[in-house]
Amino acid sequence: LAGVWKLEEFRDPLAKLAAAPETTLHFRAAAVAALVDLGGKASGDLLTQLTTPDHPLAIRLAAVTGLAELDVKLAASAAAQVLAAPLEGVDPAPLFHAFLGRKGGADALAVALAAGALPPDNAKLGLRALQMAGSHYEGLAKVLSTAAGVNAEPKPLAPAELEQLMTDVIAKGDASRGEAAFRRASLGCLQCHAVGGAGGQVGPDLSGLGTSTTLDYIIESIIEPSKAVKEGYDTVEVITKDDDYLMGIKMRDNAQELVLRNVTSAELVIPAGHIKQRQIKPVSIMPTGLADGLTRGELLDLCRFLHELGKPGPFANSLAPVIRRWRVLDPLPADLATMNPAQLAAALAAHERLNWMPAYSLVSGLLPLDAFVPAACQSVSLVRGEIEVTTPGRVRLILNSPRGLELLVDDKPVEARDGVILDLSHGLHALTFRINLAQRGQAGVHVELAEVAESLARAHVVGGQ
């Protein structure tokens, strides 16, 4: 608040807090962020001092990230020094994103990194950050690729290579393994694309891809995503009057505002009067080089999965009202794992800042075990889906198995059993399942909404097709 409200009388205490080695890293980083908000030459000078090697790596990265908001050229020089040493397991993605979000930031960082020595592993982490941001800054990508020892530019497939890949996809590709690759967080496919409504909303839904496109198109779209951009999915780039750089797919555009959706599916609302420059680039927001991290076998599997989407069989489009968009509580507070269902319902209603992370079902509608096992390997997990009732009355939930499940409907415990019948009012309703992983085993969670005979209720799954 001191920074946001521009309270200059707090500058000295913040500066001392940011520089104090005896203070925890958490509070030092918060002080750095406040100094960035305060702005001015004094903040820039202090942040520059905090980028030197006599400060912890986490503080150096935070200082460079903040400095990029104030002076990208000065920050780029400091970033090159920080990135010249091993990162000790610290993720530099926020640093790279800070430069990508400023006018001229990527170019300044490319120049600074090209003049120094960048370890290959740090360069690979930078490339990953560029890919996840959907960046098309060729200059920075080239510098990072050279340092990482990889090719920055996708090599167009020769006709014979494409023909051979098509043959191998059919002969050797495994669609089930390909679905697992598609869901891998490092590839980011689900971050932008949905299947049956489950996934990101940046790119087109891929449910019927196998019936609407050819295999050669699928292969080339992965290797050269900008070769043929689907109509309506061109990338819009905006520079604001504050020199912020924003990029995404256009959602709405009128006299008051421009709304973009970025690669994280977040909507960026930009007041029309705040736009200094905008342009449409006929390139895909899907970054190039995603296939570089795949083995040939993984590439064949992924293409086979996409090729099978929508066709009769295990990857066909399903009209069944199955919950496909979930949220998983991660980390799960220890007390929520052991309290009784009534206490759990009260605790969830009281908590305002729980970390619910998105999770998505397979094409079959099953939320697999690996989607909801907490990072801390706890024995209990909490997952939540939603249904919307348009006409109140009784509806049925069909579970693949009630074993190891406890169910809360909104803030009330309900016995989890085969064919749960609920009498629901009009509006949104949250279905929260507490899962005992030891009892549940490998079953996963599959929840289908069904009608009840003689009930006038009408409801649908939120986020479904």
Side-chain angles (χ1 to χ4, degrees), residues 328-339 344 369 372-383 404-406 432-440:
V328 178
L329 188 56
D330 188 12
L332 175 69
D335 57 332
L336 299 187
T338 56
M339 58 182 56
L344 176 63
L369 184 70
F372 59 78
V373 173
C377 298
Q378 296 143 311
S379 60
V380 173
S381 185
L382 254 66
V383 302
L405 295 183
E406 294 174 290
T432 304
F433 292 89
R434 182 165 62 177
I435 307 169
N436 184 312
L437 300 175
Q439 295 177 12
R440 188 69 182 171

Side-chain angles (χ1 to χ4, degrees), residues 387-393 395 424-429 457-460 462:
I387 60 175
E388 183 174 15
V389 177
T390 53
T391 302
V395 299
L424 299 177
S425 60
H426 178 274
L428 283 174
H429 296 275
R458 291 292 180 268
H460 64 268
V462 174

Side-chain angles (χ1 to χ4, degrees), residues 32-58:
V32 167
L35 288 166
V36 172
D37 286 334
L38 280 178
K41 184 178 184 301
S43 288
D45 291 343
L46 179 61
L47 293 177
T48 301
Q49 295 173 20
L50 293 176
T51 65
T52 58
D54 52 331
H55 293 283
L57 178 60

Side-chain angles (χ1 to χ4, degrees), residues 262-328:
N262 67 11
V263 292
T264 65
S265 290
E267 287 197 356
L268 309 175
V269 181
I270 313 166
H274 200 55
I275 297 174
K276 181 168 67 175
Q277 181 181 334
R278 63 184 285 182
Q279 64 174 327
I280 297 177
K281 298 188 70 174
V283 296
S284 172
I285 200 169
M286 175 178 167
T288 58
L290 287 179
D292 293 342
L294 297 173
T295 65
R296 182 177 177 84
E298 289 171 333
L299 177 61
L300 299 180
D301 293 340
L302 177 60
C303 292
R304 183 60 185 267
F305 165 67
L306 297 174
H307 184 54
E308 295 299 324
L309 282 176
K311 295 180 177 179
F315 301 100
N317 290 327
S318 172
L319 298 180
V322 176
I323 297 180
R324 298 179 179 275
R325 301 178 69 88
W326 296 87
R327 288 179 292 162
V328 178

